[in-house]
Amino acid sequence: MAAMFSQNPIMNGPNYSFNDAPRVNAPEGARQHRFDPYTDNGGSTLAIAGADFAIMAGDTRSTSGYSINSRYSPKVFKIGGTTSDQHDATLVLSVVGFAADGEALKEKLDAICKMYRYRHGKAMSVEACSRKLSMILYQKRFFPYYAYAILGGLDEEGKGAVYSYDPVGSCEREQCRAGGAAASLIMPFLDNQVNFKNQYEPGSGEGHALQERERRPLTRQEVEILVKDAFDGAVERHIEVGDGLQMMVITKEGIEEIYLPLKKD
Amino acid sequence: MFRNNYDNDPVTFSPQGRIFQVEYAAEAVKQGSVVVGIASKTHAVLVALKRNAEELSSYQKKLFPIDEHVGIAIAGLTSDARVLSNFMKQQCLSHRLTFGRDMPLRNLVDLIGEKAQMNTQHMGKRPYGVGLLVAGVDDRGGPHLFEFQPSGMTEEMVAFAIGARSQMARTYLEKNLESFADCGKEELIRHGLKALKESLVQDRELTVENTSVAVVGVEVKDGKRKVEPFKVHDGQEVSAWIEGAADDKEGDEEGSAPAAAAGAMDVDA
Amino acid sequence: MDHRPQAWGRPRDDIYGAYDASYLHSNGPKQATQAPIVTGTSVIALKFKDGVVIAADNLASYGSLARFTDVKRLRNFAGTSVIGFGGDVSDMQYLDRHLEDLAIDEAYDTPEPSDATAQGHLNAANLHKYLRNLMYSRRNDFNPLWNQILIAGLDSESKPYLASVDLRGTTFTAPSLATGFGAALATPIMRRYAETDEEASKLSREEAVDVIRECMKVLFYRDARSMDKYSLAVVTKDGVEISETEQLEKQSWAFADRIKGYGTQTV
């Protein structure tokens, strides 16, 4: 039977058609190169909510492997202003991970904020925007935006609000959050310095008698220093973090942008 | 007895070569209240007379922002205008997303022109019952003003008025045509309001309730363009401008303009 | 007469294996570029006071074979910007055609610009955004255009603009940029002269061109997929000047004297 379909000239029969040729798969061990749609552009972000402000920060380095693409490539963006220069924006989005996805996410959210403004005649609240962002991320659950997003703003009561996300849209409002390459370096520092974890009243005793240090909201000045310290630490220990620190301070007066240099090594 | 047999759909010409459905749509534009637009070298303004159906009702909006650099004034069916407005917003947004720039006005107006033309050549469709004045700025020559008609016709204008009794406003604009190019924002608004007043029916006045003013501008300073985004002014914001236009009823002297401008600033602040 | 194809030169299955005709069948999974085939190597660019200098050699390689030696990898866009392509050459040529269409569409609406600052045209920043969207949407379709692209020109404020976009849609801008091998070899040299935009704005055109020529030389010395014939373009507000017949001069292979594998060694 098999001989019928063979193209070996020794055999007899009308075995000419290309269709008769058995399909040959790639030989054992041969590997086809597959396109990987993702890459990691490094960098780190950080957000802290205060009593009447929120600070969003990120370093400005963009990397590919061991090389630095750019020393100034911002990953903290104003969102939802009336114009493209975002002079009257009230929200800030930071994205870290795969920069192209991060940028696409930012553009998409900004367009949605803009349409919201057209339809409702007012800016989107940080609560509404946080939900929408979660939906956007989840809608691409099976081809996710590989970006760790943090959304910052002031809530309806004027308190600082920070919402953090994973790439598929899990979302939580938090007091503070670090994202990206140096998240694991910065987050424990934040736990200790913002939420006063592992800080106890001196002399309050031992073991269960230990009294936790009372939590209090930090001032803007304290937070700014904290952010700088966190990044200075991250720069020392992580190669993908450095060059510049971009900070957005959201208050009821608007958004103030601060740029500080970081080590470029 | 003399029933018109050629106006049942927009795909049939009359023996005289007319398409009645399209002409009726143009009539719908004339039913709308008047809107005036003027463009100078630095600004484009739209002013509109708003109508209320009855004393107890609110006033129908006439001016709509499309994108930061462009807006429209409408005369005719408001709901048809909304369809066009939404379409224009989407187009501007997607152009900005794709190229990162303001959509050139000519491109935008051509798009709605083609969209409207489609409705005049297909069985079962209805032309848009609305005319538009599209005012905006782009980097192809600064401020622009375009007229749009339900037939799909679009045309760039220096100054124009559409809607009920708009002929009187156009007459005013024609008389003052030469002066517009060098007008500043305040002078342009004053001209606009004066043109608008020409079209008012007897005993009607411009009030803060029935007047809307929108401005968009561009300033070029040592190579840098600074766009003054399209903004619609209603209510108390327009009171100083209305007074400014009332001050000298006959004269078109430019001398009084700065005073009116200063007055407007005071109220805005 | 034996009229079986095998008797007329068709390779015998028992010797060469069956003919794999799978590519002739239109059913089955859609094919997309999974690897670049004919490739161009580095593109390098540097901003200076009034514009940007950009260069790329004229070689298109087929693997390690120097296949085409007169391939222009810098492209003038509408007389306002220059685009430099690294990576797959067929994808570059596709983009080239696509951009030609775009430029023509743009030219319908507005007259030909007299210089690179001409308002109303797509400037380098607009073009970069467009290409980013194009590349990113292709990567979203898992059908990437296998290139890394540099876009050189002026932005909306007539300041020098230089940015990169790659097959995944990743973008960044910097005073100096290089693709491929150049990222490792040329970037450090260019950064010596223009670490920041401020430093770049002090460079004269001549200085910038010299730095770029020096970098091309280093790349020729160290990148095996490079060539000594290259294209060099300068974009300023006066327009685009592209020279496609540059030749590396004053080469010195003295450094290779004692390195095994370089040059003509007898042992």
Side-chain angles (χ1 to χ4, degrees):
Chain A
M1 185 69 186
M4 283 264 297
F5 299 104
S6 167
Q7 291 174 325
N8 194 323
I10 299 164
M11 303 293 177
N12 292 314
N15 304 325
Y16 304 153
S17 167
F18 279 172
N19 281 326
D20 294 338
R23 307 270 170 84
V24 175
N25 291 317
E28 201 67 24
R31 211 168 301 159
Q32 205 179 14
H33 185 92
R34 284 279 288 157
F35 171 61
D36 178 4
Y38 292 115
T39 183
D40 186 353
N41 299 105
S44 228
T45 57
L46 167 55
I48 300 176
D52 58 351
F53 67 93
I55 294 191
M56 307 280 295
D59 70 321
T60 64
R61 178 176 287 183
S62 162
T63 64
S64 294
Y66 289 130
S67 44
I68 297 172
N69 292 328
S70 172
R71 298 197 190 280
Y72 186 74
S73 186
K75 34 186 146 302
V76 188
F77 306 101
K78 295 181 190 172
I79 289 281
T82 47
T83 61
S84 48
D85 62 14
Q86 305 284 2
H87 70 280
D88 57 353
T90 53
L91 302 173
V92 175
L93 176 73
S94 72
V95 281
V96 65
F98 175 34
D101 273 350
E103 175 139 338
L105 186 62
K106 173 207 99 181
E107 300 266 299
K108 184 154 192 171
L109 193 65
D110 189 42
I112 283 165
C113 287
K114 205 165 186 183
M115 283 318 283
Y116 184 98
R117 226 181 237 277
Y118 281 141
R119 297 216 173 97
H120 304 274
K122 62 177 185 187
M124 218 168 176
S125 70
V126 67
E127 288 87 349
C129 200
S130 72
R131 287 299 179 90
K132 189 69 209 181
L133 179 53
S134 177
M135 312 263 277
I136 295 169
L137 288 163
Y138 192 75
Q139 272 159 14
K140 271 171 71 73
R141 173 66 179 78
F142 296 109
F143 182 27
Y145 288 113
Y146 176 46
Y148 292 86
I150 307 176
L151 184 73
L154 300 178
D155 67 12
E156 238 106 83
E157 297 165 20
K159 290 187 188 134
V162 163
Y163 291 85
S164 71
Y165 299 81
D166 77 351
V168 289
S170 314
C171 151
E172 185 183 15
R173 184 171 171 175
E174 291 179 294
Q175 206 60 39
C176 63
R177 171 57 64 183
S184 55
L185 278 65
I186 297 175
M187 208 56 218
F189 172 71
L190 256 34
D191 287 337
N192 181 249
Q193 290 296 305
V194 179
N195 293 322
F196 296 156
K197 293 282 162 63
N198 291 307
Q199 291 200 45
Y200 300 96
E201 290 300 335
S204 59
E206 282 177 10
H208 291 298
L210 272 173
Q211 295 261 299
E212 281 190 12
R213 183 181 161 192
E214 200 188 336
R215 287 184 58 189
R216 63 169 178 84
L218 300 177
T219 66
R220 177 181 159 172
Q221 208 171 14
E222 285 172 316
V223 174
E224 277 186 32
I225 293 167
L226 220 53
V227 169
K228 182 71 167 55
D229 288 349
F231 272 92
D232 281 335
V235 169
E236 287 297 326
R237 288 287 185 179
H238 202 116
I239 56 166
E240 291 175 353
V241 182
D243 292 330
L245 172 60
Q246 187 197 19
M247 264 198 270
M248 300 267 200
V249 187
I250 311 149
T251 63
K252 63 178 190 297
E253 273 78 39
I255 300 172
E256 192 184 326
E257 189 172 345
I258 300 165
Y259 175 82
L260 298 167
L262 290 175
K263 282 171 78 170
K264 295 187 198 300
D265 55 8
Chain B
M1 189 176 171
F2 291 114
R3 218 176 73 84
N4 188 344
N5 289 316
Y6 299 99
D7 67 350
N8 290 316
D9 55 67
V11 302
T12 313
F13 278 105
S14 82
Q16 287 76 39
R18 299 162 64 179
I19 298 170
F20 282 102
Q21 280 294 322
V22 174
E23 292 186 20
Y24 297 162
E27 287 303 313
V29 177
K30 290 181 193 158
Q31 311 256 335
S33 66
V34 62
V35 290
V36 176
I38 316 178
S40 75
K41 281 179 191 159
T42 57
H43 289 84
V45 303
L46 295 171
V47 297
L49 183 68
K50 291 183 288 185
R51 271 207 290 238
N52 53 345
E54 48 179 303
E55 277 304 301
L56 294 169
S57 76
S58 63
Y59 287 80
Q60 185 66 258
K61 277 185 75 180
K62 298 283 284 177
L63 306 180
F64 299 90
I66 296 297
D67 198 359
E68 56 185 87
H69 70 295
V70 54
I72 56 171
I74 66 166
L77 300 180
T78 309
S79 38
D80 281 14
R82 193 166 57 235
V83 173
L84 285 172
S85 158
N86 285 341
F87 174 75
M88 291 165 85
K89 278 171 188 171
Q90 290 291 353
Q91 292 300 318
C92 284
L93 205 57
S94 96
H95 190 93
R96 194 176 290 284
L97 240 41
T98 315
F99 293 104
R101 66 168 182 181
D102 298 343
M103 187 166 192
L105 283 235
R106 176 42 91 180
N107 293 9
L108 179 65
V109 170
D110 283 354
L111 286 177
I112 56 168
E114 289 195 1
K115 197 173 158 66
Q117 197 278 338
M118 296 276 261
N119 289 345
T120 70
Q121 217 180 5
H122 288 274
M123 179 65 90
K125 297 218 170 191
R126 167 175 75 76
Y128 289 102
V130 69
L132 307 180
L133 292 181
V134 184
V137 297
D138 61 23
D139 55 5
R140 295 177 178 175
H144 298 281
L145 175 72
F146 287 90
E147 180 209 359
F148 160 83
Q149 286 291 336
S151 60
M153 187 223 60
T154 58
E155 199 164 13
E156 175 146 25
M157 296 293 187
V158 174
F160 205 59
I162 55 172
R165 298 165 60 82
S166 56
Q167 182 53 51
M168 271 82 88
R170 284 201 294 275
T171 308
Y172 173 90
L173 295 171
E174 280 165 21
K175 261 193 249 164
N176 294 277
L177 189 62
E178 308 303 323
S179 59
F180 295 146
D182 296 310
C183 281
K185 166 181 164 182
E186 300 296 333
E187 286 169 87
L188 223 48
I189 293 172
R190 201 163 64 91
H191 277 305
L193 290 172
K194 285 185 147 193
L196 201 62
K197 286 171 96 161
E198 297 286 324
S199 287
L200 288 176
V201 290
Q202 212 126 48
D203 305 329
R204 285 291 295 273
E205 281 294 322
L206 292 183
T207 67
V208 292
E209 282 82 30
N210 70 11
T211 311
S212 280
V213 175
V215 191
V216 60
V218 65
E219 185 186 17
V220 180
K221 225 178 197 174
D222 37 79
K224 284 187 188 176
R225 285 174 82 249
K226 177 99 181 76
V227 174
E228 178 186 338
F230 185 89
K231 185 163 171 17
V232 180
H233 302 269
D234 283 306
Q236 285 308 317
E237 292 174 334
V238 302
S239 70
W241 285 321
I242 294 176
E243 280 167 36
D247 279 342
D248 43 338
K249 274 212 156 76
E250 294 82 40
D252 299 323
E253 314 89 53
E254 304 302 321
S256 58
M265 292 307 217
D266 291 342
V267 175
D268 273 359
Chain C
M1 193 181 80
D2 187 359
H3 47 78
R4 286 174 302 186
Q6 285 81 4
W8 290 76
R10 179 166 171 182
R12 282 172 52 174
D13 289 355
D14 57 337
I15 295 174
Y16 298 101
Y19 185 78
D20 181 4
S22 62
Y23 80 97
L24 288 168
H25 302 286
S26 54
N27 55 345
K30 198 172 75 62
Q31 293 278 309
T33 310
Q34 298 298 338
I37 308 295
V38 178
T39 58
T41 182
S42 325
V43 185
I44 60 172
L46 173 64
K47 287 198 218 174
F48 65 96
K49 181 154 55 86
D50 317 300
V52 189
V53 192
I54 181 168
D57 69 23
N58 293 350
L59 180 69
S61 311
Y62 178 75
S64 55
L65 173 72
R67 182 65 182 80
F68 304 105
T69 54
D70 193 19
V71 175
K72 278 84 180 181
R73 297 196 290 126
L74 299 185
R75 184 195 193 284
N76 179 345
F77 181 84
T80 61
S81 320
V82 174
I83 305 164
F85 296 90
D88 194 273
V89 169
S90 62
D91 285 348
M92 170 186 91
Q93 288 167 346
Y94 164 79
L95 278 165
D96 187 60
R97 293 192 295 273
H98 184 79
L99 289 169
E100 193 60 44
D101 290 347
L102 181 68
I104 290 170
D105 280 351
E106 272 291 298
Y108 276 132
D109 301 324
T110 34
E112 194 61 21
S114 51
D115 58 52
T117 61
Q119 297 292 310
H121 279 267
L122 290 175
N123 59 36
N126 299 143
L127 191 59
H128 175 239
K129 184 129 192 173
Y130 180 79
L131 283 171
R132 186 216 97 96
N133 285 324
L134 180 66
M135 301 294 272
Y136 184 69
S137 67
R138 288 291 294 255
R139 90 108 217 187
N140 283 344
D141 299 341
F142 281 86
N143 185 19
L145 293 164
W146 217 287
N147 299 101
Q148 193 179 351
I149 302 170
L150 298 188
I151 295 114
L154 302 173
D155 64 11
S156 59
E157 296 177 359
S158 302
K159 289 201 300 243
Y161 181 87
L162 172 59
S164 158
V165 57
D166 69 7
L167 70 166
R168 295 185 181 85
T170 317
T171 59
F172 40 85
T173 81
S176 63
L177 286 175
T179 74
F181 241 98
L185 292 177
T187 305
I189 301 170
M190 294 191 286
R191 281 190 189 153
R192 263 212 306 270
Y193 296 92
E195 177 78 45
T196 61
D197 266 330
E198 200 192 353
E199 283 172 33
S201 71
K202 287 175 187 147
L203 281 180
S204 73
R205 175 184 169 144
E206 289 69 30
E207 286 169 323
V209 169
D210 286 347
V211 173
I212 288 291
R213 286 189 198 283
E214 185 63 26
C215 289
M216 288 310 284
K217 198 189 287 183
V218 171
L219 283 169
F220 179 55
Y221 285 153
R222 295 291 180 185
D223 178 0
R225 308 279 175 270
S226 69
M227 203 179 50
D228 56 353
K229 277 198 305 178
Y230 64 101
S231 305
L232 186 137
V234 181
V235 203
T236 62
K237 67 175 169 40
D238 299 321
V240 171
E241 297 158 52
I242 298 187
S243 156
E244 289 168 333
T245 52
E246 298 288 322
Q247 178 73 37
L248 271 189
E249 277 158 7
K250 290 187 226 133
Q251 294 174 36
S252 163
W253 291 85
F255 74 91
D257 194 26
R258 301 196 171 277
I259 303 175
K260 198 161 186 179
Y262 265 114
T264 50
Q265 282 167 359
T266 45
V267 186

